[in-house]
């Protein structure tokens, strides 16, 4: 009901009468009044004026279930939201509880005490400034196809930013960067057996309102606030990502490859066309990134004239993250 009240308050320019709210939601005046009181306690500035009704003046920049649900337009993705003030890691939580969570559930935390980065690194996750979220999927796909979902999410995040008026780029496969600094990290994990995927968890960490980074990160990381000077609504950003992801995911499922998404992915890519350095487990080599194929591999033209298909190795792009 909070979700519906929020939607109605937002849709109305100026005041909405208590009577109209009751009729729209099919509940009593007391029920409406109670929800309004709860919202005020949660930090919403709502003006109540006799004979006029209620007017939403200001919303707190929070990631509550009702904030997210009142902004999404999806059929399945993010229709169930689990919000936590604090969690070890939203990815770890999905791994633990995934069995009983529905496909498309979104888990969000205000803070993570053991945030996971890719390749066994940690993801610093302080309170109040970022988005830490994981999307749980139970797709009917083969295990070898699942890593492609990381690239699908990278595209969805980039599109969501564009919708909000912020131009970002994708550093293959899945970092979102702005002016050469990292804004978003994506970590996809899966539980599978040979030939069968139980669940895929796509974790997304976004620096939104961060004002300062620890010394060791400040050369490489940035936030939406630092780059644009604007305090974007975190819930709106999450909602745009979910809307975009549902569209991109549906397209992906038609072929289980990236063929129909590649054109857009390429447009956002900061990697393609650049000199890159590929750090494989055993060797490191330089080349020029030619493109990404439908399975998500990066095609690299090497100095000896051969073209290598890079799967998921670490790739540095000249000029990005201070590549040397
Ligand atoms: C990277 O190293 O670039 C990936 C970072 C992924 C961080 C996000 S934050 C939400 C989710 N939960 C985690 O523990 N990690 C991911």
């Amino acid at each position: 009901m909070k979700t519906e009240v929020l939607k109605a308050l937002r849709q109305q320019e100026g005041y909405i009468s208590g009577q109209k709210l009751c009729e729209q939601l099919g509940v009593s005046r007391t029920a409406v009044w109670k929800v309004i009181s709860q919202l005020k306690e949660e930090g919403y500035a709502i003006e109540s004026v006799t004979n006029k009704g209620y007017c939403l003046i200001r919303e707190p920049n929070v990631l509550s279930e009702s904030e997210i649900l009142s902004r999404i337009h999806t059929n399945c993705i993010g229709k169930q939201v689990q919000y936590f003030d604090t969690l070890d890691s939203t990815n770890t939580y999905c791994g633990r509880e995934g069995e009983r969570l529905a496909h498309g559930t979104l888990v969000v935390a205000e803070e993570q005490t053991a945030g996971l980065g890719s390749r066994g690194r940690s993801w610093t996750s302080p309170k109040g400034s970022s988005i830490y979220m994981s999307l749980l999927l139970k797709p009917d796909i083969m295990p070898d196809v699942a890593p492609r979902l990381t690239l699908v999410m990278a595209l969805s995040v980039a599109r969501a930013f564009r919708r909000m008026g912020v131009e970002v780029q994708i550093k293959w496969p899945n970092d979102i960067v702005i002016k050469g600094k990292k804004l978003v990290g994506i970590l996809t994990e899966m539980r599978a057996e040979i030939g069968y995927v139980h669940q895929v968890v796509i974790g997304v960490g976004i620096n939104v309102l961060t004002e300062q980074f620890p010394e060791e990160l400040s050369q490489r990381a940035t936030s939406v606030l630092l780059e644009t000077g604007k305090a974007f609504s975190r819930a709106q950003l999450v909602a745009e990502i979910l809307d975009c992801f549902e569209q991109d995911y549906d397209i992906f499922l038609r072929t289980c490859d990236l063929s129909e998404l590649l054109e857009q992915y390429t447009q956002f890519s900061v990697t393609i066309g650049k000199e890159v350095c590929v750090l494989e487990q055993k060797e490191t080599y330089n080349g020029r990134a030619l493109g990404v194929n439908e399975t998500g591999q990066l095609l690299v033209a090497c100095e000896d004239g051969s073209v290598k298909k890079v799967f998921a190795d670490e790739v540095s792009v000249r000029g990005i993250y201070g590549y040397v």
Side-chain angles (χ1 to χ4, degrees):
M1 161 106 139
K2 233 187 238 174
T3 304
E4 276 67 45
V5 171
L6 270 178
K7 271 191 194 165
L9 285 173
R10 257 188 232 128
Q11 268 161 17
Q12 184 77 26
E13 280 201 13
Y15 288 83
I16 181 164
S17 73
Q19 185 60 33
K20 193 168 166 197
L21 266 178
C22 297
E23 282 164 13
Q24 261 185 27
L25 306 175
V27 295
S28 69
R29 267 176 180 268
T30 323
V32 166
W33 179 83
K34 268 193 190 152
V35 173
I36 298 275
S37 307
Q38 278 172 12
L39 288 171
K40 283 181 179 170
E41 265 170 38
E42 288 172 23
Y44 292 82
I46 301 171
E47 226 167 55
S48 342
V49 175
T50 326
N51 295 329
K52 275 172 115 179
Y54 302 104
C55 179
L56 183 59
I57 309 287
R58 199 170 6 88
E59 303 187 51
N61 202 332
V62 292
L63 284 170
S64 63
E65 185 185 338
S66 40
E67 262 296 310
I68 294 169
L69 289 177
S70 62
R71 293 169 189 270
I72 57 171
H73 304 97
T74 58
N75 293 317
C76 164
I77 298 299
K79 290 302 261 192
Q80 321 243 1
V81 175
Q82 293 207 354
Y83 167 83
F84 296 88
D85 284 331
T86 183
L87 261 187
D88 46 357
S89 144
T90 53
N91 268 37
T92 312
Y93 175 85
C94 288
R96 267 196 315 264
E97 306 292 332
E99 208 73 61
R100 61 174 190 84
L101 300 176
H103 167 77
T105 299
L106 183 80
V107 176
V108 195
E110 188 64 59
E111 171 193 47
Q112 297 185 122
T113 53
L116 303 174
S118 49
R119 296 165 191 274
R121 298 183 190 121
S122 59
W123 186 258
T124 317
S125 310
K127 201 180 265 202
S129 57
S130 305
I131 295 170
Y132 312 116
M133 66 181 210
S134 297
L135 188 62
L136 178 86
L137 302 175
K138 299 187 174 175
D140 186 9
I141 58 175
M142 293 302 277
D144 61 320
V145 158
R148 299 173 194 172
L149 287 169
T150 313
L151 283 82
V152 176
M153 180 56 92
L155 172 62
S156 308
V157 173
R159 293 208 302 118
F161 270 110
R162 176 169 285 176
R163 281 188 180 185
M164 295 193 68
V166 182
E167 280 305 320
V168 298
Q169 291 178 298
I170 304 172
K171 177 181 166 290
W172 181 86
N174 57 332
D175 280 359
I176 304 290
V177 303
I178 185 166
K179 293 183 202 147
K181 286 185 167 184
K182 181 158 165 172
L183 193 64
V184 179
I186 301 173
L187 174 65
T188 301
E189 298 181 289
M190 98 171 133
R191 196 160 69 76
E193 56 191 86
I194 293 169
Y196 184 76
V197 172
H198 288 271
Q199 61 180 56
V200 174
V201 177
I202 311 179
V204 185
I206 311 177
N207 307 322
V208 184
L209 305 165
T210 322
E211 289 180 29
Q212 220 176 1
F213 287 89
E215 182 64 29
E216 67 276 14
L217 287 180
S218 61
Q219 293 303 308
R220 295 159 52 97
T222 190
S223 72
V224 187
L225 179 67
L226 288 174
E227 295 304 323
T228 67
K230 290 189 198 148
F232 280 89
S233 156
R234 290 183 294 162
Q236 188 58 34
L237 191 50
V238 171
E240 298 284 2
I241 293 171
L242 296 174
D243 286 349
C244 289
F245 184 79
E246 185 162 278
Q247 291 170 358
D248 297 336
Y249 181 61
D250 283 349
I251 294 173
F252 169 79
L253 286 182
R254 287 185 209 150
T255 53
C256 281
D257 67 26
L258 301 164
S259 46
E260 294 182 40
L261 299 168
L262 269 187
E263 200 181 313
Q264 289 195 76
Y265 183 92
T266 304
Q267 279 172 14
F268 282 108
S269 174
V270 72
T271 314
I272 298 169
K274 296 266 170 52
E275 295 301 317
V276 294
C277 175
V278 182
L279 314 169
E280 276 185 352
Q281 265 176 352
K282 290 197 185 116
E283 72 171 318
T284 297
Y285 56 89
N286 293 323
R288 188 177 182 77
L290 299 175
V292 173
N293 68 15
E294 64 284 351
T295 66
Q297 293 167 314
L298 185 69
L299 306 175
V300 179
C302 302
E303 284 158 353
D304 64 4
S306 63
V307 174
K308 287 212 181 186
K309 291 179 179 171
V310 184
F311 184 58
D313 303 292
E314 204 142 351
V315 167
S316 355
V317 184
R318 200 177 287 275
I320 298 282
Y321 305 165
Y323 167 68
V324 284

